[in-house]
Every structure is written in structure tokens, then in C-alpha cells.
Amino acid sequence: MKKSVLLLGSAVLASAFAGNAAARDGISVVGSSTVYPFATVVAERFGKTTDFSTPKIESTGSGGGLKLFCSGIGVDTPDITNASRRMKTSEYEMCQENGVTDIVEVLIGFDGIAVANSINAEQFDMGTKELYLALAKMVPNPDGSESLVENPYKQWSEINPELPATDIEVLGPPPTSGTRDAFAELAMEGGCKQFEFIKGMEDDDFKATCHTMREDGAYIEAGENDNLIVQKLEANPDALGIFGFSFLEQNSDKVQSSVIDGYEADFDAIASGDYGISRPLYFYVKAQHIGTVPGIAEYLAEFTSEQAWGEDGYLADKGMIPLGDEQRAEVGAAVKSLQKLVLN
């Protein structure tokens, strides 16, 4: 019985590629806008130094990329998806249901989420508590009672008199973005937990309170285009923007990090764990496509080579915070053996 199921699975995979072998001779990668610049650098090196085609990298957001990745097998689906958060159980289950059963998870490094503004403006110095109070749809009643009200704050100085008397305007990623997910979990929840009555809520109520952004114009969804956020910060020095540390690094002549709970988003503070709004970066590989779409195993080898993701590798030069030596060796071994991801 088990053998017939295996043969059936192979037949389905062969059918998914049948007649389409010539339709795609290069690797297709989708997913996170944060991982995009790192994947692009690896892809360009890979294309120049091997006989394989340069992989096609698309920025769709972590959620959008995983949806495409988990839609099935065959040349009409991507081989790899980048993610600035770990795959959710619901996404894993969607993959399994659609026949994407052999997934390799690759943790590549870390990134900080910067809350930035124009270098021509005063640098913000605040905590996650102020961020939560500025951006959440529902916040604790200013009268001090243990109740929630629609966010009444219009200016930063209303939250903390030491902050500027300017309108709250923050440009950030949409719900499909891994950056948005990580910001909600790390920054917004960090602020929420400073209110005991919110901290004591049931899980669903806690998440709804902490993760739901206000919709009155103070928080503006700027899509997956971080360049657009930087342009708007240049045009409006009073505005703040949310994006990955690597993008902050690339635009350090235009924007600056806010100080959050005593630390700026910089390489050392993220690597040491002192900067609280940081998250892991991943990509996921459809192992069922290896051997059918040319170059996937070799692309994996390039990405996890010391020259790429090592402490002094070219990805660190681009702003990625490398894994420690021990963790890098562990992940590298799992990738080399194509260890199958199992999420409970």
C-alpha cells in the first residue's frame, strides 16, 4: 500500500512537470521584501559563477509568497519562498493539503525592524509602550481605568510630553508582510505587556488588542515597497516609517533609526539581542522540485556558503546579521541533508 502511494505521488509530480520541462529552466523565488535584497545578491552571484540561469526573485511579501509556494507543485508554482518570519502552522497545513509535502526550512540570519524618520528631523527616543499607544486601534482609557477606548491620540506629545508636538503619521507594511507580523509581535505586544490588565487577557483578546492597527489615517499602509516609504519620509520630516534594518543601512544618507527602549537599530545592538525589535529571516524550499528545476541544490549551497552567510560574508556586508558559528553549522548540515520540515 505504501509503495503504491509513493508511486502515485511520483506520478503526480511527473504529471505536474510533464511537457513543461522547457517552460522554466531557472529557479523561481517569491516572498519577503526584507529577504529580497539578500536573495537578489545571492542570485546574481549564482548566475555569474555557475552554468545555471540567474534565479528570478519576486517581492510579494512573506504571506503572499507562502500562499503561492503552498499552492501546489509544478512549474507554475515557485520553488522557493523567502519569509521574514517562520512559516505558520496554517500555511504548513495548506502546503500539505496541496501536495507540497517535502519542505526544507532555511534560517539564514537576523534582521532588525527600524522605526525611522528623515535625517533632517529630530531623532525619536521612545519605547514600545509609546509605539503601541500611538498605533493601536484600541488603547487603555487615558482616565486610568482598566478599560479600552478607540485611540484618542493625535500627536506624539499627547502620549509623552517629551516627544514632539507633531501629528502621529507612521508609514508601514500591510498585513501580508512578515515585517508587519514581526512588528506586531515584538513592538506592539512589547508595549501591551506594560499594562497589566491587557497582559492578563485571554490569548485571542490579547492579540486582537495588541495587533490591530488604528484605521484613522495615523497608520498608513505603504504596500511592500520600502523605497516608497523612504521617499515619503524625505517629503515629510514629521512622518515615521517601519522597515527592515538592511533597508535602513542602504538609505542611511536619507533616514535615521529611532532609539527604542535605549537602543538604535544597528548591527551590534541587533546581533547582541539588545535591540528588541529584531526577527529571524528564512527561506523555504520545495524539495520535490530538486532534480527537476535545474540549480536548486546548487543555489542552496551558495546561499549557505561561508562566503555568503558567514560572519564576514557578502550578506553581512548588505546588512544581514549572521547566525552564530554553532547555529550556522547546525542549519547548514540540515540544509545539506535536505531535512524535511515538520511543524506540529
Side-chain angles (χ1 to χ4, degrees):
M1 179 67 179
K2 188 177 283 187
K3 186 176 180 182
S4 64
V5 171
L6 182 62
L7 289 171
L8 178 62
S10 299
V12 170
L13 182 59
S15 173
F17 283 98
N20 286 303
R24 184 151 65 74
D25 64 355
I27 301 167
S28 171
V29 183
V30 295
S32 166
S33 62
T34 302
V35 182
Y36 174 83
F38 304 132
T40 299
V41 173
V42 176
E44 288 171 353
R45 291 243 184 171
F46 180 75
K48 287 176 183 174
T49 59
T50 70
D51 295 329
F52 297 103
S53 300
T54 301
K56 180 184 177 185
I57 317 287
E58 296 179 77
S59 177
T60 63
S62 297
L66 281 157
K67 188 174 181 181
L68 291 167
F69 179 83
C70 291
S71 64
I73 54 175
V75 292
D76 294 333
T77 66
D79 310 303
I80 295 171
T81 188
N82 300 320
S84 55
R85 58 164 173 78
R86 198 173 193 214
M87 178 184 283
K88 297 175 182 176
T89 302
S90 59
E91 292 162 338
Y92 176 81
E93 289 170 352
M94 177 171 61
C95 268
Q96 302 301 306
E97 288 167 8
N98 291 329
V100 184
T101 53
D102 292 345
I103 303 165
V104 179
E105 179 182 73
V106 188
L107 171 64
I108 60 170
F110 296 92
D111 181 51
I113 301 174
V115 181
N117 65 347
S118 167
I119 57 170
N120 297 318
E122 181 185 343
Q123 185 182 38
F124 269 69
D125 185 344
M126 58 184 164
T128 53
K129 181 178 180 180
E130 282 85 1
L131 280 171
Y132 161 65
L133 291 174
L135 299 178
K137 183 175 182 179
M138 303 297 290
V139 297
N141 196 320
D143 70 8
S145 62
E146 293 190 349
S147 60
L148 296 171
V149 296
E150 287 267 352
N151 197 320
Y153 302 114
K154 303 298 182 189
Q155 295 195 325
W156 289 100
S157 56
E158 295 171 10
I159 295 170
N160 182 340
E162 293 183 12
L163 293 174
T166 54
D167 290 346
I168 297 168
E169 182 179 338
V170 180
L171 299 130
T176 53
S177 169
T179 302
R180 169 79 165 262
D181 289 335
F183 183 79
E185 185 176 329
L186 297 164
M188 300 291 282
E189 284 192 18
C192 268
K193 286 174 181 174
Q194 295 182 49
F195 296 93
E196 286 299 323
F197 81 97
I198 299 177
K199 190 177 177 181
M201 288 178 174
E202 296 290 329
D203 283 352
D204 289 347
D205 291 337
F206 175 78
K207 284 200 169 181
T209 300
C210 302
H211 289 208
T212 307
M213 298 292 203
R214 60 195 298 181
E215 298 170 340
D216 57 359
Y219 180 82
I220 303 161
E221 289 182 7
E224 296 286 357
N225 188 345
D226 292 336
N227 283 306
L228 179 64
I229 297 180
V230 169
Q231 288 169 18
K232 294 198 172 186
L233 296 185
E234 285 186 284
N236 180 8
D238 289 337
L240 292 173
I242 298 168
F243 39 71
F245 165 69
S246 60
F247 202 77
L248 175 75
E249 282 271 278
Q250 294 163 31
N251 292 277
S252 59
D253 58 329
K254 301 170 186 170
V255 291
Q256 62 184 339
S257 168
S258 300
V259 177
I260 307 294
D261 290 324
Y263 293 93
E264 289 183 34
D266 64 31
F267 191 99
D268 291 338
I270 296 166
S272 67
D274 289 330
Y275 183 73
I277 316 176
S278 61
R279 43 48 190 296
L281 303 177
Y282 296 88
F283 66 85
Y284 292 90
V285 185
K286 204 171 285 181
Q288 289 147 291
H289 284 195
I290 295 174
T292 305
V293 174
I296 297 176
E298 291 80 2
Y299 175 80
L300 282 179
E302 173 61 29
F303 215 125
T304 57
S305 67
E306 279 301 300
Q307 66 176 359
W309 75 343
E311 190 174 331
D312 299 312
Y314 59 77
L315 292 177
D317 290 341
K318 289 290 179 181
M320 188 186 82
I321 314 300
L323 303 175
D325 292 347
E326 192 175 319
Q327 192 174 23
R328 207 162 60 247
E330 187 180 319
V331 174
V335 171
K336 195 171 183 180
S337 67
L338 300 179
Q339 184 175 308
K340 183 176 174 179
L341 173 67
V342 178
L343 279 185
N344 296 325

